[in-house]
Amino acid sequence: MNVNVKSLTRTVSLPDGREVTISSKPEPWWVENGASGFVDPALLAPDPKNPRRTINKARFSELKQSVRSSGVKQQVVVTPLAKAPWVVLPPEDRSKRLVIVSGWRRCLAAMEEEVKAVPIVVEVYESSKQHRLTASLYNRHRDDPSPLDDAYDILQLREEEKWTYEELADHFGLSAPYIRARLGL
C-alpha cells in the first residue's frame, strides 16, 4: 500500500487484483452529481431512513462470499451530507461526508470482509422527497423487501413526505387497497 502523506491518499488492492486510489479526506468530486470513484467503505454512513430494516442472513452470506472473492462490483449510490440537510445522522456517523442511498448491504459486506474500497456514484437531490423516492425505488428493485420493510417504506413516505394513497400506489405500481393493507402491518 502506497501512502501520500500530503494528500492523505493511498493505493489499495481490491480482491480481484486491481489497485485503486482512495482518500481519507473529503475530495471535491464527492459533491458532484454523477461523479464516481472508489472510497473506503468506512467513510460511508448508512441512511437512517433506509427502507430496509432487515437483512436475509442466507442472502447476506452469499453476498459476503462474492465480495470476498471479487469485491463490490456494482456502485454504491451515495449523496453528500452537505447537500442533503434533511438527513440527520446519529452521533457515531456525523463525521462521515457521504450517505448511502442504495448499497448498504454491499458496503457492510465489504467492511466485514475487510475490502478496502468500494465503487460509488454520487447523486445530488433537490429535496427530501426526491431523495426518499429514489432510495425507495432503488431498494425496491433489489431483493424483494420483506413485508415489514415494505410497510415501513410506505409508512415513511406517507407520514414524512405527505404522499396520498394514490401517489404511493402510482409510485410503487400497486393498487391503493394494497397500499392501505400494507400499512395495516
Side-chain angles (χ1 to χ4, degrees):
M1 172 171 47
N2 298 328
V3 177
N4 179 338
V5 177
K6 186 176 181 179
S7 66
L8 299 175
T9 62
R10 66 186 195 271
T11 301
V12 297
S13 295
L14 299 177
D16 65 5
R18 289 185 298 152
E19 290 192 346
V20 297
T21 301
I22 60 174
S23 175
S24 58
K25 68 169 184 61
E27 294 289 335
W29 66 269
W30 290 6
V31 295
E32 296 174 13
N33 194 44
S36 63
F38 284 85
V39 299
D40 180 337
L43 297 177
L44 305 177
D47 186 339
K49 294 185 179 178
N50 185 328
R52 291 202 183 265
R53 294 294 188 219
T54 58
I55 295 178
N56 177 306
K57 289 180 183 179
R59 299 283 302 202
F60 187 64
S61 180
E62 292 170 2
L63 177 61
K64 283 179 25 175
Q65 182 178 353
S66 172
V67 167
R68 181 182 324 117
S69 64
S70 302
V72 174
K73 293 298 184 186
Q74 187 175 21
Q75 292 174 317
V76 175
V77 179
V78 300
T79 195
L81 186 58
K83 294 194 174 200
W86 51 84
V87 176
V88 179
L89 296 177
E92 65 271 16
D93 289 329
R94 288 192 183 135
S95 64
K96 298 180 181 181
R97 312 270 181 169
L98 299 167
V99 178
I100 298 170
V101 176
S102 176
W104 172 239
R105 290 176 296 172
R106 283 172 271 151
C107 187
L108 183 59
M111 289 188 293
E112 288 188 12
E113 294 302 320
E114 299 181 3
V115 172
K116 304 295 184 208
V118 296
I120 66 166
V121 62
V122 177
E123 289 191 7
V124 177
Y125 303 101
E126 295 177 14
S127 66
S128 172
K129 189 171 186 175
Q130 184 188 38
H131 177 190
R132 297 272 47 97
L133 177 139
T134 303
S136 175
L137 288 174
Y138 277 136
N139 282 288
R140 178 164 290 282
H141 295 294
R142 309 286 308 156
D143 286 340
D144 287 336
S146 73
L148 286 176
D149 287 346
D150 195 29
Y152 173 79
D153 189 23
I154 292 167
L155 181 64
Q156 184 172 257
L157 290 170
R158 175 119 170 96
E159 289 183 352
E160 293 178 18
E161 303 304 332
K162 310 297 183 216
W163 284 29
T164 66
Y165 290 113
E166 291 71 25
E167 286 175 315
L168 288 165
D170 287 343
H171 167 67
F172 289 116
L174 302 168
S175 69
Y178 176 90
I179 297 295
R180 285 187 179 91
R182 266 302 192 233
L183 288 175
L185 292 174

